Amino acid sequence: MTIQIITLFPEMFEGVLNSSMLWKAQKENLVKYKLINLRDFGIGPRQQVDDIPYGGGDGMVLRPEPLFEAVEQAKKTDPDAKILLMTPRGNLFTQELAREYAATEAGLIIICGRYEGYDERITTLVDKQVSVGEYVLTGGELPAMIIADAVTRLVPGVLGGETSAELESFSQSGVIEHPHYTRPEEYRGLKVPDVLLSGHHAEINKWRNANQK
Ligand code: ADE
């Protein structure tokens, strides 16, 4: 699967895409990330990407031409990709959507919007407008990272086989997970629940089921 991200701030992604599970997914050729700098499609010698809003008002609005051209370039790489636009006005991103995207053969093209806004005509190219929560961020970059992370970890092979099967059942039921403990048995007076030290697997499973969030 290829995840292409159209952004004015590609440098924001370096740490996230090159660490932990996302780095491992790339190294093992399970997922490929491609950052597309919207500035490269800017207009004129100053590579302008935004302009003042028709009808007046504060702030600048992303112009349609750079956005359309960036999407067209991304489509050349991956004609079947689903196109997502990051916006607080979108549909809430859920584990179910993450599972759906991870399970399809199609890649993703994620367009990072900006808080001031984008020309509405870009929405004609988009399969889904997606929000990561009911709050307003300065741009779509952090939401794009959230989606890349949530989808990548569900791509077959990225997590260990047995763990991903487990996660699947958790996400089916909407349950997240039970609490975990590791050594030491007691720390600053805080004890690991006795049942986890008991070696009784049936009891441990019962405790875990009862303590799922
Ligand atoms: N851009 C700004 N805020 C956002 C949000 N909550 N979700 C997706 N994109 C956004």
Side-chain angles (χ1 to χ4, degrees), residues 25-196:
Q26 290 180 85
K27 203 177 58 148
E28 293 178 0
N29 280 324
L30 297 166
V31 181
K32 214 163 117 185
Y33 307 106
K34 199 167 158 197
L35 293 163
I36 297 174
N37 192 338
L38 188 61
R39 185 69 60 189
D40 293 344
F41 301 88
I43 298 160
R46 297 184 54 222
Q47 294 182 289
Q48 194 184 342
V49 292
D50 54 11
D51 214 326
I52 54 175
Y54 279 124
D58 288 335
M60 300 287 272
V61 175
L62 291 176
R63 287 180 61 133
E65 309 96 308
L67 287 166
F68 271 69
E69 286 172 29
V71 169
E72 276 156 18
Q73 178 180 298
K75 277 246 148 191
K76 276 187 206 150
T77 303
D78 191 357
D80 298 326
K82 280 212 160 40
I83 306 177
L84 311 182
L85 174 64
M86 300 299 98
T87 164
R89 287 191 281 151
N91 302 94
L92 196 62
F93 184 64
T94 58
Q95 187 68 11
E96 193 185 334
L97 263 187
R99 240 187 300 127
E100 182 190 317
Y101 294 144
T104 61
E105 296 290 303
L108 296 176
I109 297 169
I110 304 180
I111 306 170
C112 302
R114 267 203 333 194
Y115 76 103
E116 289 109 328
Y118 44 80
D119 189 289
E120 192 65 18
R121 286 169 284 191
I122 190 62
T123 60
T124 60
L125 297 187
V126 163
D127 292 302
K128 205 173 192 83
Q129 299 186 41
V130 177
S131 163
V132 296
E134 291 181 1
Y135 39 80
V136 181
L137 301 164
T138 52
E141 282 73 16
L142 290 168
M145 291 180 215
I146 288 171
I147 288 171
D149 186 296
V151 171
T152 296
R153 64 193 291 281
L154 297 177
V155 168
V158 171
L159 296 182
E162 128 248 356
T163 324
S164 48
E166 227 177 293
L167 280 165
E168 193 62 24
S169 68
F170 286 144
S171 46
Q172 300 277 350
S173 62
V175 169
I176 304 299
E177 256 197 64
H178 54 76
H180 301 280
Y181 291 89
T182 184
R183 282 187 282 198
E185 277 184 35
E186 184 176 339
Y187 182 65
R188 299 195 183 193
L190 303 168
K191 290 187 180 148
V192 174
D194 285 339
V195 60
L196 298 181

